[in-house]
Amino acid sequence: MSLFIKSNKAKPLSEPLLNSLFQYAMSLSNHRDNAYDLLQSALEKYLSRLQQPGTTIDNPQAFLQTLIRNQFIDQYRYQQRWPSETFEEFASYDISPLSLEQLAIDTDSLQRIWRQLSPQDRDILYHWAILGYSTDEACELLGMARGTFLSRIHRLRKQLNTKPIDKAPGTKEPSS
Amino acid sequence: MSQLDNRQPPSLKAQVQSQIAGEQLSRDQLQHLMAMQNRINNKHAEKTAIKSHAGKYWATSIAASLLVLVAVVSLWTPITSRPSLPNDLTLNQSALHKQIAMEVVKNHIKLKPLDIQTQSITEIQQFFKQLDFSPISSQQLNKLPAPSALTTQQLLGGRYCSIKGVTAAQLRYQQSNHGLSTLYQVGYDAKLFGNMPVSERGEPAQDLFVQGLEVSMWVEKGLLMVLVANPK
């Protein structure tokens, strides 16, 4: 996000963008009312910030996603829904080179498991599946050590109990 | 994004996209948020017009007052010798070491499951492929006084961790008195971890106590070693 000197005219966010932000809030909280509160609160802060003289925000979506995420962490950390330890460790037995790109799962299984995933796991999946970030990009964005992220992916694989997608003849391996 | 092949089972990515896209704001919620935006924008637009004129007057007055205040203070404040400042470098190093010690002790106490169980340092090195370095069998461990001395026979295994955000290896050892020791290894960066004693120069490890545990830190073969154990 960069700040430039400009007149402070706030353009209303569109309905598709509001829905996209709501989906991100849902990815974290997995609770409709909480997600709506997160979005509303973040939107108020965004509009307030925008009204400060000389402020403009080039990427409202990224800015608001950061606000939503930070609010979620602050609000739910005390409930231990977002560990506050400085480095996170998760049980994993093997860091396989198999990437998320190569995994398949049926709808019912994902829906069943989705609510059991931690907010951090859903955050990772959101950044990977919706925003299209690679592993390294997501690590840097979420401020997560690469080893931690890889451990989470491995744990997700075991939790999702996924199987590799059968490759058609001549299909190239996705780049890691 | 990967293309879906109809002949293949649904990909995890497509299913996650579908799962997330299934969540939508209700019509009432959307209308409420749009109305909120318009209300806040209109309110601030009104305030900006009023404040603009008044603000210029007050800004000028305040600036003039501050100038007068600075002039008065500079004329009347006696010149005193600059108080001696603590050694900032020493304070920073000490604080850094304490931070690292607290981080590793916290993790040592949690005792999370090992990623790999083995007594072989070779298997450890083969397992930790995601590190920017290769873990070593520290020569300093068997030099520790009993019962703290550790050999590879007492190695239990390892797991990934991190120190100050840098991916590290955590090796767990069984002490001869049945306690557990944890040795963290990470690529040494003086800017990140502060100055540390180097074992190859014969410098003794930096020791400190946190939550009843002894934390020893040193650099060996370019790696920062941090050992957490019961006090000797």
Side-chain angles (χ1 to χ4, degrees):
Chain A
M1 292 169 286
S2 57
L3 300 178
F4 298 96
I5 304 298
K6 200 179 171 184
S7 60
N8 45 343
K9 235 180 185 179
K11 191 178 172 184
L13 301 180
S14 64
E15 291 188 359
L17 180 53
L18 289 173
N19 259 320
S20 177
L21 292 166
F22 176 71
Q23 287 162 3
Y24 180 60
M26 273 295 294
S27 296
L28 295 176
S29 66
N30 203 36
H31 189 282
R32 286 193 64 87
D33 291 343
N34 291 343
Y36 181 74
D37 288 343
L38 285 170
L39 172 57
Q40 184 174 358
S41 181
L43 190 56
E44 285 173 353
K45 285 184 183 175
Y46 162 75
L47 292 170
S48 177
R49 177 75 183 270
L50 211 58
Q51 299 303 330
Q52 292 173 12
T55 301
T56 191
I57 295 169
D58 293 335
N59 191 340
Q61 184 170 1
F63 185 83
L64 281 154
Q65 281 175 344
T66 302
L67 281 178
I68 288 170
R69 187 168 187 271
N70 289 343
Q71 278 180 179
F72 178 80
I73 292 172
D74 288 342
Q75 285 176 18
Y76 294 100
R77 178 175 283 162
Y78 77 97
Q79 294 179 4
Q80 298 182 336
R81 292 191 200 178
W82 197 283
S84 60
E85 60 224 54
T86 50
F87 59 93
E88 301 154 359
E89 298 196 12
F90 299 90
S92 65
Y93 303 95
D94 172 38
I95 302 295
S96 165
L98 190 65
S99 72
L100 292 177
E101 299 284 350
Q102 297 167 281
L103 303 181
I105 189 171
D106 62 86
T107 306
D108 290 342
S109 296
L110 181 63
Q111 283 182 350
R112 186 178 66 248
I113 292 166
W114 188 256
R115 57 179 174 270
Q116 297 173 17
L117 295 175
S118 70
Q120 295 99 313
D121 293 336
R122 290 195 294 265
D123 200 6
I124 291 171
L125 288 174
Y126 181 90
H127 280 78
W128 167 66
I130 303 297
L131 300 181
Y133 284 104
S134 66
T135 302
D136 288 342
E137 289 167 345
C139 286
E140 188 176 348
L141 196 70
L142 299 175
M144 197 178 292
R146 191 163 177 268
T148 303
F149 183 72
L150 292 171
S151 295
R152 283 194 179 277
I153 288 177
H154 176 76
R155 192 168 68 94
L156 273 172
R157 283 181 48 223
K158 292 176 73 69
Q159 209 166 344
L160 292 169
N161 194 26
T162 54
K163 299 177 183 177
I165 298 172
D166 290 335
K167 292 187 291 294
T171 304
K172 288 185 181 177
E173 286 286 347
S175 57
S176 57
Chain B
M1 291 187 186
S2 57
Q3 298 293 326
L4 278 180
D5 184 344
N6 290 332
R7 295 169 295 174
Q8 295 185 340
S11 69
L12 174 62
K13 179 174 272 189
Q15 293 286 39
V16 170
Q17 289 168 348
S18 178
Q19 170 74 31
I20 290 172
E23 302 295 344
Q24 299 279 321
L25 288 161
S26 68
R27 179 44 50 183
D28 286 345
Q29 286 173 327
L30 270 172
Q31 286 176 349
H32 181 260
L33 292 175
M34 294 302 287
M36 183 182 83
Q37 291 185 86
N38 291 331
R39 189 173 62 248
I40 293 176
N41 282 340
N42 291 339
K43 192 175 171 183
H44 280 285
E46 288 172 10
K47 279 187 182 176
T48 301
I50 296 169
K51 279 186 180 176
S52 175
H53 183 71
K56 286 179 188 172
Y57 170 77
W58 283 110
T60 306
S61 303
I62 290 170
S65 303
L66 281 173
L67 276 172
V68 171
L69 183 63
V70 166
V72 169
V73 167
S74 64
L75 282 173
W76 284 99
T77 302
I79 298 172
T80 59
S81 58
R82 188 179 182 195
S84 60
L85 296 172
N87 186 330
D88 290 340
L89 188 59
T90 305
L91 274 180
N92 287 340
Q93 296 289 338
S94 178
L96 263 176
H97 295 170
K98 187 73 183 288
Q99 272 179 8
I100 294 169
M102 289 175 69
E103 192 176 356
V104 297
V105 161
K106 194 174 175 183
N107 195 50
H108 172 84
I109 291 172
K110 284 188 177 177
L111 209 66
K112 296 270 180 91
L114 296 170
D115 293 339
I116 179 172
Q117 296 181 25
T118 180
Q119 286 183 330
S120 164
I121 195 65
T122 304
E123 287 185 14
I124 290 277
Q125 290 166 339
Q126 289 169 349
F127 173 77
F128 284 102
K129 290 178 184 170
Q130 305 296 337
L131 298 173
D132 295 331
F133 62 94
S134 179
I136 63 172
S137 178
S138 172
Q139 301 301 308
Q140 302 305 309
L141 294 184
N142 56 11
K143 295 180 184 176
L144 296 169
S148 305
L150 299 168
T151 66
T152 50
Q153 282 73 35
Q154 292 165 283
L155 178 62
L156 297 174
R159 63 179 286 124
Y160 281 99
C161 64
S162 64
I163 298 180
K164 292 187 72 66
V166 181
T167 307
Q170 179 192 128
L171 306 187
R172 193 169 294 163
Y173 291 83
Q174 180 85 58
Q175 289 179 262
S176 51
N177 61 358
H178 304 294
L180 291 174
S181 295
T182 308
L183 177 67
Y184 299 84
Q185 300 189 20
V186 67
Y188 176 58
D189 182 346
K191 288 179 186 174
L192 191 59
F193 304 119
N195 292 333
M196 291 285 185
V198 180
S199 62
E200 285 89 348
R201 293 187 209 147
E203 296 167 355
Q206 168 80 45
D207 287 336
L208 58 162
F209 291 88
V210 177
Q211 291 180 251
L213 292 165
E214 185 169 4
V215 180
S216 302
M217 293 182 269
W218 72 92
V219 172
E220 184 177 348
K221 294 184 182 173
L223 300 180
L224 173 64
M225 303 285 183
V226 187
L227 177 67
V228 183
N230 293 320
K232 305 181 188 63

